[in-house]
Amino acid sequence: MRKLLAVFAHPDDESFICGGTLAKYASEGVDITLVSATRGEMGRRMGNPPYLNRETMAAAREVELRQACECLGIGQLLFLDIRDKTVEFIDEERLTARIETIIHEVNPDVVLTFHETLGGHPDHCAIGKAATAACRRTGHQGALYFITFGDAMARPERYGYTRKDVIRIDVQAHLAAKLAAFRAHRCQTEIDEWVWLPDQEALAKFGRHEYFLKADREAPTRDPYDLF
Amino acid sequence: MIRLYNQSKLIQKREVLQMIKITKPQVEAELQTFLGAEAYIHSEATSFVFVRNFKVRVTDVFIAGEGPFRAALRFDGHGWLRMEALTHYEADGSGRLLLAGYDDRGRMNVALHLGKEPFPE
């Protein structure tokens, strides 16, 4: 059985950034494990109108993430129990070792995480850096890809990358699952009117592709449209 | 083969509003339950700062304004904590008073929580 391990920072990273790809591989029978470093309990969006406060947020977002995992077909969910917004302050060696242990247990064919400088949020960059180091140590570097935002990597040259560093996944057939996952993260998406439009109108807002960067730029690309 | 496309139809917009809008007498009474006691404080303002589990001995409590509201604590004989833009609250029945300020789309701008016990780290 093919296995994919995703190491992210917050509930919703998996859905908002690469939900189509996860749904696609799950639908093909890939066994997916998601690690969320935090429960996203320091987010500013509290529902619209608000139904959460700082103290109820962690549990609510965990429930929402579990529902999103069902929508996408993610089989296993692990939390690292780090407080939201503090990942970069966690001892780096211990964090790397924890991820290393998970990699040993899962033994994935593909690992997804954030790029340690292009991650866009301090928690993203910190978990990406630790996951990248862990993959290097376990010999999984060839399996590692960085998730990217929207269509940014349709033109990777701006970021110092070339087309051969990019894997482009066609998620058109899996956008309904992605939309369901967006709606599962309701405290985060209620503020976005487009998510709650009739299905066909909401689906039209999604791009057809999700893009991934190869961590090991020297490794030959077998198929520029497939992570496995 | 996992296909859950219909889930998007099942998840509908929720209509319940759980956070309560601040009314001054209720919140003032809740604040006064912390007078003379040690309290753990969680406080934050937008994304720029948060503090969690400051322990103080509360000597005075204040709430002011007509909404949004301002709240202030005096503590330890020499300290002040003041916050503004507070709109909602919840007294969660376990010795905790949670004050928060939301914008008109549910984003939290500020929070001031008082607890008799430490908040989960």
Side-chain angles (χ1 to χ4, degrees), chain A residues 81-99:
Chain A
D81 295 324
I82 298 169
R83 187 164 190 86
D84 190 6
K85 293 189 176 171
T86 67
V87 181
E88 63 181 324
F89 306 119
I90 295 296
D91 181 81
E92 201 175 319
E93 172 56 36
R94 282 190 55 201
L95 183 57
T96 302
R98 287 184 72 187
I99 299 169

Side-chain angles (χ1 to χ4, degrees), chain A residues 44 52 54 70 183 191, chain B residues 4 8 44 102 105 109:
Chain A
R44 271 192 77 202
L52 296 176
R54 193 51 81 230
E70 275 181 41
R183 290 177 178 172
I191 195 170
Chain B
L4 293 162
S8 64
E44 63 180 273
Y102 299 93
R105 305 182 69 203
N109 287 322

Side-chain angles (χ1 to χ4, degrees), chain A residues 26-27 42 44-55 67 70-71 83 85 173-174 176-177 180 183-184 186 190-191 193 196 199, chain B residues 1-2 4-5 7-9 11-14 17-19 42 44 47 50 52 90 96 98 102 104-109 113 119-121:
Chain A
S27 77
M42 290 300 291
R44 271 192 77 202
R45 296 177 172 197
M46 316 297 272
N48 183 28
Y51 62 100
L52 296 176
N53 61 56
R54 193 51 81 230
E55 307 308 324
Q67 193 176 14
E70 275 181 41
C71 298
R83 187 164 190 86
K85 293 189 176 171
H174 304 277
R183 290 177 178 172
R186 61 177 43 187
E190 280 183 334
I191 195 170
E193 283 86 359
W196 303 92
D199 291 358
Chain B
M1 193 76 160
I2 298 162
L4 293 162
Y5 297 171
Q7 287 240 2
S8 64
K9 296 195 181 74
I11 300 169
Q12 299 299 327
K13 229 171 139 63
R14 179 195 40 77
L17 175 63
Q18 291 180 351
M19 292 298 290
H42 170 95
E44 63 180 273
S47 301
F50 78 87
R52 194 158 177 84
E90 191 176 315
R96 309 197 301 186
L98 314 178
Y102 299 93
D104 58 3
R105 305 182 69 203
R107 284 172 297 208
M108 201 175 76
N109 287 322
H113 299 180
F119 293 97
E121 190 186 338

Side-chain angles (χ1 to χ4, degrees), chain B residues 10-63:
Chain B
L10 299 177
I11 300 169
Q12 299 299 327
K13 229 171 139 63
R14 179 195 40 77
E15 287 173 8
V16 185
L17 175 63
Q18 291 180 351
M19 292 298 290
I20 306 158
K21 287 191 173 159
I22 289 176
T23 48
K24 232 190 303 193
Q26 271 92 340
V27 171
E28 190 158 37
E30 294 287 349
L31 281 168
Q32 283 171 351
T33 65
F34 291 90
L35 278 176
E38 287 199 328
Y40 292 86
I41 307 290
H42 170 95
S43 171
E44 63 180 273
T46 60
S47 301
F48 291 105
V49 60
F50 78 87
V51 297
R52 194 158 177 84
N53 289 327
F54 261 68
K55 192 168 95 174
V56 299
R57 180 169 286 278
V58 179
T59 54
D60 301 273
V61 295
F62 307 93
I63 182 157

Side-chain angles (χ1 to χ4, degrees), chain A residues 50-176:
Chain A
Y51 62 100
L52 296 176
N53 61 56
R54 193 51 81 230
E55 307 308 324
T56 57
M57 199 166 197
R61 294 203 68 185
E62 180 175 340
V63 169
E64 293 182 352
L65 176 56
R66 289 188 190 283
Q67 193 176 14
C69 286
E70 275 181 41
C71 298
L72 298 175
I74 296 170
Q76 290 80 232
L77 172 63
L78 304 170
F79 289 100
L80 298 182
D81 295 324
I82 298 169
R83 187 164 190 86
D84 190 6
K85 293 189 176 171
T86 67
V87 181
E88 63 181 324
F89 306 119
I90 295 296
D91 181 81
E92 201 175 319
E93 172 56 36
R94 282 190 55 201
L95 183 57
T96 302
R98 287 184 72 187
I99 299 169
E100 220 181 316
T101 303
I102 294 168
I103 293 172
H104 279 303
E105 284 168 7
V106 174
N107 192 26
D109 303 288
V110 167
V111 180
L112 302 179
T113 193
F114 286 97
H115 189 284
E116 70 176 76
T117 58
L118 301 175
H121 181 288
D123 286 344
H124 294 174
C125 295
I127 197 69
K129 188 178 183 191
T132 301
C135 281
R136 200 177 299 125
R137 289 188 199 173
T138 59
H140 283 75
Q141 201 178 6
L144 179 62
Y145 298 88
F146 302 122
I147 57 174
T148 70
F149 296 93
D151 290 333
M153 288 301 161
R155 290 183 186 77
E157 296 80 11
R158 305 192 303 171
Y159 303 92
Y161 289 87
T162 67
R163 299 275 164 107
K164 72 175 184 51
D165 301 317
V166 177
I167 307 290
R168 190 183 81 185
I169 305 295
D170 184 339
V171 297
Q172 185 71 31
H174 304 277
L175 294 179

